[in-house]
Amino acid sequence: MDAIILQILNGLDKGSAYALIALGLTLIFGTLGVVNFAHGALFMIGAFCAVTLNRLLTLSHQVVDETRTDFLGNPLKVDVPYMHDLFGEATGAAIIDWSVPLAILFSIPVMIAVGVIMERGLIKHFYRRPHADQILVTFGLAIVLQEIIKQIFGANPIPTPAPDAFTGSFDFGVLLGFDPNAIIYPYWRLVYFAFAALIIGAVFAFLQFTTFGMVVRAGMADRETVGLLGINIDRRFTIMFGLAAAVAGLAGVMYAPINSPNYHMGMDFLVLSFVVVVVGGMGSLPGAVAAGFLLGILESFASMNEIKQILPGIDQIIIYLVAIIILLTRPRGLMGRKGVMED
Amino acid sequence: MSKTTLTRRGVLRTGAVAGAGVALPTIFTASSARAFTNAPTGGSVTLGFNVPQTGPYADEGADELRAYELAVEHLNGGGDGGMLNTFSSKALDGSGILGKKVEYVTGDTQTKSDAARASAKSMIEKDGAIMITGGSSSGVAIAVQGLCQEAGVIFMAGLTHSNDTTGKDKKANGFRHFFNAYMSGAALAPVLAKMYGADRKAYHLTADYTWGWTQEESIKAATEALGWETVNAVKTPLAQTDFSSYIAPVLNSGADVLVLNHYGGNMVNSLTNAVQFGLREKQVNGKNFEIVVPLYSRLMARGAGENVKGIFGSTNWHWSLQDEGSKAFVQSFGTKYGFPPSQAAHTCYVQTLLYADAVQRAGSFDPCAVGEALAGFEFDGLGNGPTLYRAEDHQCFKDVLVVKGKENPTSEFDLLEVVEVTPRAQVEYAPDHPMFAGGSLGACNPGA
């Protein structure tokens, strides 16, 4: 039982990342009708926002320590962050320690800007082109962004730790009446799940309860009619693209302490997220979120040793297997509208 | 108008002279110098450096390339000479190889066997490379070694740790200076038993390809021989990035040690996940839970950050070694590039010197002559103490380092500390050891 609860937690966690990326993808598809293969790259850029802020906060000057030597036997040069000079050692260290949560603030304007530039600079020229063209150009863009990040940050993963207060793990089992140590779960992954729930809730609330959101939803349903009412729907859709980019970016920022950011992390998530969107139903926001969590949990269960002993390799194909079954029985996906991909 | 008279004797005489003339080059070739692929003709000789310049091991490849460039500089008489000054063989004098200036071409393996074979093929066929070296994956090394055997050039393996490289996939034209998984197990297991006791239950997570399989087999055999029990061994896909669903079952498996047979990005992520799940704070079977990373590299340790502290593993070489050869190399590399070399850089530098030295001693670039000069060659002064290039399988035998993630690093390079230098005798094995059986060295191929 404890193993099952642990895999459910794991699934919720994976599902959080899938759902956040899929949510952004669906927002873009639903508003602009664009199949954005560069969306994984936005997730990756988000993670590198966390890396960048961490690097900015740890910018240092060197102080020679005559008592120690470096690898060549010369006096050791010790890096002292400017933060320590500005705020004192304790406060400076605390600011650096909280670089990932601080990167949330840093990443929102950056990601919105990246999203708007991407939409205005390239993607708007492909609105009236076939989906195949959109996929090709956005996939190309993803590769370009990936290579730029690699040129700047290198190919190796870059450790980006969570604040000390959130490292370590929480004894979830004791809370549920199990033995101590039976279900231990990392604090930061719990934070990630809570954060994902918050963002998803905020996006839904924004679309549901604001005038802007209402117009966007109307535009999603019938773009031409909304346009005829004198509303500049294109500008709103551009803003939605920026917001979708911010959602993907935030997912990346908070993911940075879970797995050290690397330049191909976007591609690692992209294909899975597309399967999530298709399973949930193209254009359906609740579908994307539900499918994200569903497939995350299924994937976690499939990687249990007991299951793999019966069905070897199932953990690698479970998501695609579920996608095939759902598409065969319900081609529009779990919550998709009929004929979305047919126009 | 001249008149030609044909006589029987005249035709016979002319025919004999012409026949001897035509036959002459063949006679000379057969008796004095055999033809071989890419025999250098001008004043220079070209070496092919095939390293991952893109893909997940690109940083490792970049360090390998730095080492190769340094080796070429030293071979051509530039710089401070590095390990040429400490190498026990004195055949090389800084005037290139056999008086020919050393030049090089580079290829990108992308850490993919197909891409690596294609770039090696191009360097051999288009650039005239006479020797290929490099790589940082056993899958790639084995693929390129096979290609070099077919093409008739020498392959001086870079970073490859699978037993199979000099085991079932060994080739007469291939040579490996780097240590292997068996040696890691033989060096590491006694230290683990000493530190953690002989009564331990281990759980293995293993990268699902040639290197992971042979490492798991080697570590299991070595630890089980000392009394450890293997609770489970789970293969993980090479493309896996989040290992949490593989780590979670470890918690309740009854294991008190987790062995991560992972390398590069896999290791960085799996170790990070294991630490996040609190494995290092956990007590199982009345003992502290421990994590082991059998193959360590400084570049990987940098990726894993704080998580490597206190974790044991093995490595081929480390810049903190205090023998004269290592010191000379660190000085040379550190002065040129501003940071210490990795183990990948070390093995690639040494392989280049060893190749050049073998050509010099053989007096020929003929791969069969070079192979003969390398097989059974004993040397010193290149780090790791006295070393033997064993003739039977072209594997180098030397001391192996057991290292531990440093608790209080002084810099971003100072991440590992050497806890034991395991003597060569402790890591040696018979050429027909079951873990290395199933292949044949075959005959050397000089190519064209």
Side-chain angles (χ1 to χ4, degrees):
Chain A
M1 186 61 193
D2 44 1
I4 291 172
I5 294 172
L6 204 53
Q7 292 299 1
I8 289 174
L9 285 170
N10 247 333
L12 288 175
D13 213 56
K14 271 188 187 164
S16 300
Y18 294 161
L20 282 177
I21 301 175
L23 183 67
L25 272 172
T26 298
L27 268 179
I28 291 173
F29 182 78
T31 50
L32 303 167
V34 171
V35 183
N36 181 24
F37 257 67
H39 203 70
L42 293 170
F43 173 72
M44 182 245 328
I45 291 173
F48 277 92
C49 279
V51 172
T52 306
L53 187 71
N54 186 272
R55 290 205 170 165
L56 289 174
L57 295 179
T58 50
L59 271 179
S60 307
H61 59 96
Q62 291 192 322
V63 173
V64 177
D65 183 350
E66 296 285 353
T67 61
R68 293 188 290 171
T69 52
D70 70 2
F71 71 100
L72 288 176
N74 303 319
L76 184 71
K77 289 174 183 157
V78 183
D79 292 327
V80 179
Y82 288 111
M83 280 288 152
H84 289 196
D85 298 335
L86 288 170
F87 300 102
E89 201 169 330
T91 315
I95 294 171
I96 292 169
D97 184 36
W98 280 78
S99 66
V100 170
L102 289 173
I104 292 173
L105 303 174
F106 170 74
S107 69
I108 290 172
V110 171
M111 293 310 302
I112 289 176
V114 169
V116 169
I117 292 168
M118 193 191 271
E119 197 268 339
R120 287 287 92 186
L122 183 71
I123 291 175
K124 75 166 184 182
H125 303 294
F126 286 81
Y127 286 155
R128 297 186 194 286
R129 301 277 284 269
H131 285 310
D133 287 8
Q134 296 171 355
I135 290 172
L136 279 175
V137 76
T138 51
F139 190 70
L141 181 63
I143 293 172
V144 169
L145 291 172
Q146 181 173 296
E147 290 303 310
I148 290 171
I149 291 290
K150 198 179 89 182
Q151 284 304 316
I152 299 171
F153 294 95
N156 272 3
I158 301 167
T160 312
D164 282 346
F166 292 106
T167 51
S169 46
F170 176 63
D171 200 331
F172 215 83
V174 172
L175 204 68
L176 300 172
F178 287 91
D179 293 334
N181 279 342
I183 309 170
I184 287 179
Y185 208 71
Y187 282 125
W188 189 258
R189 286 178 183 255
L190 294 171
V191 169
Y192 192 75
F193 174 63
F195 181 79
L198 187 74
I199 294 289
I200 290 165
V203 169
F204 277 101
F206 178 72
L207 288 175
Q208 205 66 36
F209 303 121
T210 63
T211 316
F212 185 95
M214 193 181 71
V215 173
V216 167
R217 278 190 294 125
M220 284 167 81
D222 191 340
R223 184 180 184 143
E224 278 188 4
T225 307
V226 174
L228 287 171
L229 291 172
I231 295 168
N232 187 345
I233 192 71
D234 284 353
R235 187 188 297 159
R236 283 176 166 75
F237 281 179
T238 302
I239 294 169
M240 283 314 294
F241 197 101
L243 284 178
V247 168
L250 288 175
V253 169
M254 293 297 277
Y255 196 76
I258 292 179
N259 273 331
S260 302
N262 61 69
Y263 73 99
H264 53 87
M265 65 189 292
M267 287 292 184
D268 296 340
F269 270 92
L270 181 71
V271 176
L272 286 171
S273 304
F274 260 98
V275 175
V276 168
V277 169
V278 171
V279 167
M282 292 295 287
S284 164
L285 296 177
V289 174
F293 285 113
L294 173 74
L295 293 181
I297 291 171
L298 279 176
E299 197 184 9
S300 275
F301 274 113
S303 60
M304 286 174 77
N305 294 333
E306 293 80 359
I307 308 258
K308 279 197 294 186
Q309 274 161 11
I310 305 164
L311 298 163
I314 187 72
D315 52 330
Q316 295 303 298
I317 59 165
I318 182 75
I319 282 190
Y320 305 101
L321 213 57
V322 172
I324 290 168
I325 292 166
I326 287 186
L327 288 179
L328 281 176
T329 53
R330 194 177 160 81
R332 74 184 80 159
L334 288 176
M335 301 183 193
R337 284 178 288 123
K338 195 175 179 184
V340 151
M341 285 293 280
E342 290 159 17
D343 50 359
Chain B
M1 187 177 172
S2 65
K3 186 182 174 188
T4 309
T5 310
L6 286 175
T7 64
R8 185 181 63 89
R9 184 168 294 180
V11 168
L12 280 176
R13 193 188 300 130
T14 310
V17 171
V22 169
L24 210 54
T26 319
I27 295 163
F28 278 135
T29 311
S31 63
S32 61
R34 180 174 44 201
F36 54 88
T37 302
N38 294 337
T41 49
S44 65
V45 59
T46 304
L47 309 182
F49 301 148
N50 204 20
V51 304
Q53 296 182 43
T54 56
Y57 297 153
D59 270 9
E60 204 125 24
D63 221 35
E64 293 184 350
L65 215 45
R66 289 183 198 108
Y68 283 132
E69 285 165 2
L70 189 66
V72 168
E73 186 181 329
H74 291 168
L75 287 172
N76 286 332
D80 60 8
M83 279 183 173
L84 284 182
N85 303 317
T86 58
F87 191 13
S88 56
S89 171
K90 299 298 173 196
L92 294 165
D93 56 8
S95 62
I97 309 175
L98 287 182
K100 292 182 189 295
K101 185 172 183 273
V102 183
E103 292 178 347
Y104 65 89
V105 287
T106 65
D108 182 8
T109 68
Q110 301 171 35
T111 320
K112 293 174 187 162
S113 298
D114 288 350
R117 278 177 68 98
S119 64
K121 197 165 185 289
S122 164
M123 287 191 285
I124 294 166
E125 290 177 357
K126 292 193 182 135
D127 304 313
I130 192 153
M131 179 273 272
I132 299 292
T133 176
S136 68
S137 147
S138 291
V140 164
I142 288 167
V144 176
Q145 181 167 262
L147 177 96
C148 290
Q149 179 70 34
E150 291 159 23
V153 299
I154 291 283
F155 177 61
M156 301 295 280
L159 198 152
T160 162
H161 188 248
S162 170
N163 290 342
D164 292 347
T165 310
T166 47
K168 75 175 179 57
D169 295 311
K170 58 182 168 280
K171 295 280 183 283
N173 283 32
F175 292 83
R176 169 161 68 177
H177 169 264
F178 205 70
F179 73 150
N180 58 41
Y182 174 91
M183 295 173 176
S184 282
L188 195 54
V191 176
L192 294 178
K194 192 168 76 185
M195 297 303 300
Y196 303 144
D199 177 28
R200 282 283 186 167
K201 291 180 168 55
Y203 192 111
H204 288 251
L205 288 181
T206 302
D208 200 4
Y209 77 110
T210 173
W211 168 71
W213 304 329
T214 66
Q215 173 154 301
E216 179 193 298
E217 183 188 24
S218 301
I219 304 294
K220 263 167 72 177
T223 51
E224 284 173 6
L226 291 168
W228 286 25
E229 183 191 332
T230 305
V231 173
N232 207 344
V234 176
K235 305 283 184 288
T236 60
L238 202 54
Q240 192 74 30
T241 51
D242 184 0
F243 289 86
S244 55
S245 49
Y246 294 95
I247 300 285
V250 179
L251 292 163
N252 303 307
S253 65
D256 46 43
V257 177
L258 172 63
V259 182
L260 295 174
N261 298 305
H262 287 152
Y263 191 70
N266 277 176
M267 175 270 187
V268 170
N269 288 337
S270 64
L271 178 59
T272 305
N273 290 166
V275 173
Q276 282 169 356
F277 271 80
L279 289 187
R280 300 195 70 186
E281 288 96 50
K282 204 166 146 57
Q283 288 244 324
V284 180
N285 309 325
K287 306 177 187 83
N288 285 335
F289 195 97
E290 304 293 350
I291 301 172
V292 178
V293 177
L295 178 60
Y296 247 137
S297 86
R298 178 173 58 77
L299 297 175
M300 267 158 51
R302 193 175 63 187
E306 296 266 308
N307 300 323
V308 298
K309 286 184 176 180
I311 288 181
F312 282 89
S314 67
T315 194
N316 189 57
W317 178 85
H318 193 253
W319 62 267
S320 65
L321 285 178
Q322 288 302 306
D323 62 279
E324 290 308 310
S326 298
K327 282 198 301 193
F329 180 52
V330 172
Q331 181 69 38
S332 206
F333 190 101
T335 306
K336 188 173 169 84
Y337 300 113
F339 45 83
S342 63
Q343 62 170 353
H346 169 255
T347 210
C348 289
Y349 176 88
V350 169
Q351 283 281 69
T352 314
L353 259 50
L354 284 171
Y355 170 79
D357 175 73
V359 173
Q360 199 82 18
R361 287 185 291 109
S364 165
F365 286 97
D366 179 348
C368 293
V370 176
E372 272 177 39
L374 279 170
F377 178 52
E378 291 209 52
F379 59 92
D380 200 354
L382 300 182
N384 306 84
T387 305
L388 166 71
Y389 236 130
R390 186 160 71 180
E392 287 85 347
D393 51 9
H394 296 179
Q395 170 68 53
C396 266
F397 287 87
K398 55 192 183 305
D399 297 346
V400 170
L401 310 181
V402 176
V403 290
K404 189 172 81 162
K406 206 163 185 176
E407 296 288 353
N408 297 304
T410 53
S411 70
E412 60 172 314
F413 315 118
D414 183 33
L415 299 173
L416 303 176
E417 61 181 313
V418 178
V419 292
E420 187 156 308
V421 179
T422 308
R424 175 172 134 188
Q426 197 179 310
V427 299
E428 283 176 334
Y429 54 87
D432 60 351
H433 188 284
M435 287 184 199
F436 295 83
S440 155
L441 206 54
C444 85
N445 176 21

